[in-house]
Amino acid sequence: MREPDRAGHTLLRALQAASEADDALLGSGILAHTAFIPAWTGDREAAVERMVAARTYARRGPASAELLAWLDAVEAECETRCGNTRTALHLIRHAEDVLAAGSEHPSPEWLDWFSPVRLAAFKGHTQLRAEHLPQARETLLGVLEALGPADEKQSTVVLGTWPPSRPRPATRRPRAGTRCVRSTSLSGPGMRWVWTGCVRCGALWRRTSTSSV
């Protein structure tokens, strides 16, 4: 998201490759990722248009419950970035219902990381941005308790979003999440999550730097 033009060109090439492979679900995932680009600058109209396209692609294939719920989560993140937290929370509740109902279709391999716990991480971030601090703390604590040792990168992101002015597990210092990022591998497919953790840890540090912890 720091280089939106470059990201857009890369995702366009990926979408072309998915089209050539006749993989509608992969195309849906790529289009959903493109929605983050305008959302990060507050352009809700463009983000919504890209999510409509992503859902259209999803209907062309055997979309799993996880894929449909993930699309809700992505759109919720975009709405959160644009300041529409009420809409975002509605989308997350719908995603929770979709996961609970399940589906006969298996998830694509590239979405094997998504689960109710990952959806809860989206929810906690949105609750925080909506200033629902008690609910955010409860949600994020539940996420941390559910994550295993192999989920260190996701734990970093959660620690970075921890509600300000409230004790966090293992530490009260906002920079702890940043140290966790530095101790985690910065290569491979997990890089996006590490970068997200850096962004959120930095934002939290700026928000709490004037308070005593």
Side-chain angles (χ1 to χ4, degrees):
M1 299 306 102
R2 296 181 68 191
E3 301 179 65
D5 291 338
R6 184 177 179 185
H9 290 312
T10 300
L11 289 168
L12 177 58
R13 290 196 298 271
L15 183 61
Q16 291 170 340
S19 179
E20 291 173 3
D22 196 24
D23 191 333
L25 298 185
L26 181 57
S28 173
I30 294 166
L31 282 166
H33 276 87
T34 68
F36 285 131
I37 298 174
W40 249 243
T41 60
D43 187 350
R44 180 178 182 271
E45 183 177 354
V48 168
E49 287 179 355
R50 296 181 187 198
M51 287 307 306
V52 169
R55 294 183 187 280
T56 300
Y57 266 65
R59 287 194 292 270
R60 297 176 183 174
S64 66
E66 289 77 12
L67 176 58
L68 296 175
W70 176 72
L71 290 175
D72 281 337
V74 171
E75 188 167 359
E77 179 79 3
C78 292
E79 292 285 2
T80 299
R81 287 280 172 176
C82 294
N84 301 315
T85 53
R86 179 177 295 183
T87 300
L89 289 170
H90 175 76
L91 285 162
I92 289 173
R93 284 193 294 271
H94 182 262
E96 291 171 334
D97 291 342
V98 169
L99 283 181
S103 168
E104 62 181 5
H105 304 302
S107 288
E109 292 183 2
W110 52 266
L111 196 61
D112 61 359
W113 59 272
F114 188 72
S115 67
V117 174
R118 299 303 179 100
L119 177 60
F122 278 95
K123 182 178 183 177
H125 179 231
T126 297
Q127 288 172 327
L128 176 58
R129 293 289 291 267
E131 298 187 358
H132 299 169
L133 297 186
Q135 297 91 330
R137 185 181 188 281
E138 180 180 358
T139 300
L140 295 173
L141 182 58
V143 171
L144 284 174
E145 290 176 345
L147 291 173
D151 298 310
E152 187 179 44
K153 296 182 180 69
Q154 180 63 36
S155 297
T156 300
V157 175
V158 173
L159 286 170
T161 56
W162 198 258
S165 304
R166 295 176 183 268
R168 297 182 301 150
T171 180
R172 289 174 178 264
R173 296 192 175 277
R175 279 181 173 168
T178 304
R179 286 197 295 271
C180 184
V181 169
R182 289 170 179 167
S183 68
T184 304
S185 171
L186 296 181
S187 61
M191 180 59 191
R192 177 172 60 87
W193 286 106
V194 174
W195 170 245
T196 303
C198 286
V199 170
R200 292 183 180 174
C201 286
L204 179 60
W205 174 249
R206 288 190 293 273
R207 290 166 63 184
T208 60
S209 59
T210 57
S211 10
S212 59
V213 292

